[in-house]
Amino acid sequence: MPTLKVTVGDRDRLDQRTRSRIKAAQAGENLDDAQPVLNFGSYAELSRLLSPKNLELLEAISEHEPASISEAAELVERDYKQVHRNLSELEDIGVIEFDGGGSGQAKQPTLAYDGLEIDIPFGGSNGNVGAVAP
């Protein structure tokens, strides 16, 4: 699984990156390193993804591979409805997927990526954004 790159801010910066990759592909360059990108328009939107409860859910899914939403809720010791809501939001932005869930079957939450790489440009950086580690 690839790592999902998460960015915040100016969509123009993301569009510029996309245009440069298209030009590189048209020039015949190998783009095997293509990394999926999820862009948030604000820090508030990003904070929903990175909430402690969502991160706890993602970690539990990674470590324990729960067979259902109910099992995921038990792992994090939270109410089923809250966990279902959080997992649905994570599915909406493409961070998790559900397997199964046919008639009368449990939906199994699975990770869509093996990790998240956060890229947050700060004002005045002139687009030169380096990797930042906590």
Side-chain angles (χ1 to χ4, degrees), residues 6 10 24 30 33 42 44 46 64-65 67 81 94 97 109 116 120 129:
V6 179
D10 191 1
N30 185 358
D33 68 334
S42 70
L46 174 65
H64 303 286
E65 299 178 1
K81 288 181 183 180
E97 300 168 340
L116 300 175
I120 301 176
V129 179

Side-chain angles (χ1 to χ4, degrees), residues 9 21 43-44 46 49-50 84 90 99 105 107 112 120 122 134:
R21 291 191 58 80
Y43 293 120
L46 174 65
L49 169 65
L50 297 179
H84 184 275
L90 291 169
D99 293 333
Q105 295 182 342
K107 294 193 308 186
I120 301 176
F122 295 110

Side-chain angles (χ1 to χ4, degrees), residues 74-91:
E74 289 174 17
L75 287 169
V76 296
E77 299 177 352
R78 291 181 42 216
D79 179 68
Y80 172 87
K81 288 181 183 180
Q82 293 172 346
V83 170
H84 184 275
R85 185 184 73 242
N86 291 137
L87 290 175
S88 294
E89 290 171 352
L90 291 169
E91 179 190 32

Side-chain angles (χ1 to χ4, degrees), residues 47-78:
S47 70
R48 290 183 66 196
L49 169 65
L50 297 179
S51 74
K53 291 183 180 196
N54 280 349
L55 293 175
E56 181 183 32
L57 272 172
L58 294 172
E59 189 69 28
I61 292 167
S62 174
E63 288 181 16
H64 303 286
E65 299 178 1
S68 66
I69 297 172
S70 295
E71 189 176 324
E74 289 174 17
L75 287 169
V76 296
E77 299 177 352
R78 291 181 42 216

